Amino acid sequence: MLWRRHTVYRDRAGGVVIRGEHVQRWISLAPSGRRDEILLRAGRILDGGTTAPARSETLVPLGAGSGELATACRRLLAATAADAAPPAPAAPGRTQRPGKPQRPERKGRRMSLVSWMVLACVVGVVALYAYSTARTGTR
């Protein structure tokens, strides 16, 4: 079963990596640099197949049985899955920025006071130009 649903390979450091594309997780077993221990690391597989850095890791004694090793692997993968759980969805079309309260949603577009002032100035300039052109044209 492991060989059918998972990809197993050696990494550059000499450890063994097991990738589960169907669960978007990876786990590696590598020498820890200490005597009689191995380093277990787990992480996510990102879109496109690249691996994200390890989210959790632990040391397991080499003398531990396969049951203890399997328990440590399950615990790391569960912690990785919990860390990668997506946040609760927000209301459609709205994003919440931390620390900033949202304004109530408006029903339609409204012009601000500044927009009205700019519009009034433009109308005034056009009217002044039309008036001065009409006045100089009659002389």
Side-chain angles (χ1 to χ4, degrees):
M1 180 69 170
L2 177 67
W3 309 113
R4 292 182 194 161
R5 298 190 70 183
H6 298 81
T7 305
V8 180
Y9 61 92
R10 284 201 174 271
D11 64 2
R12 287 181 229 150
V16 176
V17 178
I18 303 169
R19 288 174 56 114
E21 300 289 338
H22 62 289
V23 291
Q24 297 295 307
R25 306 281 178 266
W26 62 267
I27 192 161
S28 73
L29 295 85
S32 68
R34 296 182 186 168
R35 189 177 180 135
D36 298 332
E37 287 182 332
I38 58 172
L39 175 65
L40 289 177
R41 297 173 45 209
R44 295 184 307 132
I45 299 174
L46 303 174
D47 293 337
T50 59
T51 57
R55 290 194 170 259
S56 54
E57 58 184 44
T58 189
L59 293 170
V60 178
L62 279 176
S66 60
E68 188 176 336
L69 181 62
T71 302
C73 289
R74 281 190 210 101
R75 188 177 66 243
L76 286 179
L77 290 171
T80 302
D83 287 347
R94 299 180 71 180
T95 58
Q96 177 73 26
R97 285 188 274 173
K100 184 172 182 180
Q102 286 188 341
R103 295 186 321 197
E105 197 170 319
R106 293 182 178 175
K107 296 286 182 188
R109 289 190 163 265
R110 294 184 183 157
M111 292 179 63
S112 67
L113 179 62
V114 175
S115 299
W116 283 111
M117 296 289 288
V118 169
L119 185 60
C121 287
V122 169
V123 168
V125 169
V126 169
L128 185 62
Y129 175 74
Y131 175 74
S132 67
T133 304
R135 192 169 177 213
T136 57
T138 58
R139 284 188 196 184

